[in-house]
Amino acid sequence: ADEVLIHISQDQEERARFRSRQKYLADMEHNLIASRKEGRAEGRAEGRAEGRAEGRAEGEVAGRTEGKLEAARAMLADGIALDKVIKYTGLSEEELGKQTNTP
C-alpha cells in the first residue's frame, strides 16, 4: 500500500485520477444515503396512508354493525320475533345474543 501511495503521489495524472475516484465514491455514498432516506420517507407515508384506510374501513364496519344492533334491540324491545330480526338485520343469532343479552 505504501508503494502505491508513493507511486501515485509522484505522478500528477495519477493524483488527479485518485482524487476523481475518491470524489466519485463519495458522491455515490451520498446518493445511496439520500436514496435510502427518500425510500424510508416514502415507505412511512405509504404505511400511514394504508393505516388510515384500514382504520376507516374497520370503523365503517363497526359503525354499520352497531347500527344494526341498535335496530335489533329496538325490534326485540317491540316484540318482533328473533327470526325476523335476524332476517332483517343480517346479524347472526350469536351476534344478537352477545350484544343484546337475549338468549
Side-chain angles (χ1 to χ4, degrees):
D2 289 336
E3 292 175 25
V4 172
L5 183 59
I6 291 170
H7 176 70
I8 291 173
S9 65
Q10 292 176 356
D11 186 359
Q12 187 173 2
E13 191 175 305
E14 286 295 319
R15 282 194 310 265
R17 274 191 227 145
F18 177 78
R19 283 192 300 269
S20 177
R21 176 74 178 157
Q22 292 301 99
K23 182 180 179 332
Y24 170 79
L25 292 174
D27 289 346
M28 291 300 291
E29 183 177 359
H30 172 76
N31 291 341
L32 179 63
I33 291 168
S35 294
R36 284 182 183 155
K37 286 180 181 178
E38 184 179 321
R40 286 186 189 124
E42 287 177 11
R44 281 191 292 272
E46 190 175 303
R48 281 192 293 271
E50 287 177 11
R52 281 189 208 107
E54 287 177 20
R56 268 191 224 106
E58 288 175 10
E60 288 173 8
V61 168
R64 277 192 228 105
T65 301
E66 185 56 37
K68 289 179 180 183
L69 288 169
E70 286 178 23
R73 286 185 200 108
M75 293 168 78
L76 291 169
D78 283 348
I80 297 175
L82 182 61
D83 61 330
K84 295 233 187 247
V85 174
I86 291 170
K87 177 181 175 181
Y88 295 130
T89 62
L91 297 170
S92 70
E93 187 172 349
E94 183 180 285
E95 290 171 310
L96 288 170
K98 285 181 187 176
Q99 300 299 320
T100 60
N101 297 322
T102 59

